[in-house]
Amino acid sequence: MTGPAVMEDVRRYRAIASLCRQSAAFRPIQRDSLLAQAAEWEERAITEIERYFSCSVARPA
């Protein structure tokens, strides 16, 4: 994957996480579940960034 494609995925993952957190503010009964989902999406974003940079460092220039 190219850098811009990875960053677009990361942007999407973080946007979904943000929506989960916003929804949690207005849905107290589902709050714990929504915050857990937000944490999962943030973890996906971090994993994607780490994978991209570990691959780009391993490649010879």
Side-chain angles (χ1 to χ4, degrees):
M1 261 185 145
T2 65
V6 170
M7 290 300 119
E8 181 63 20
D9 285 347
V10 168
R11 186 195 65 74
R12 284 186 183 135
Y13 296 159
R14 290 205 163 138
I16 294 169
S18 178
L19 289 172
C20 289
R21 287 189 294 275
Q22 290 173 27
S23 296
F26 296 104
R27 297 179 179 173
I29 294 172
Q30 298 169 321
R31 181 178 182 267
D32 293 339
S33 172
L34 288 164
L35 291 177
Q37 289 176 41
E40 289 174 12
W41 284 107
E42 283 292 339
E43 184 61 33
R44 287 182 190 184
I46 291 167
T47 300
E48 195 73 22
I49 291 170
E50 288 174 344
R51 186 179 319 143
Y52 174 73
F53 282 107
S54 68
C55 289
S56 65
V57 170
R59 282 187 231 143

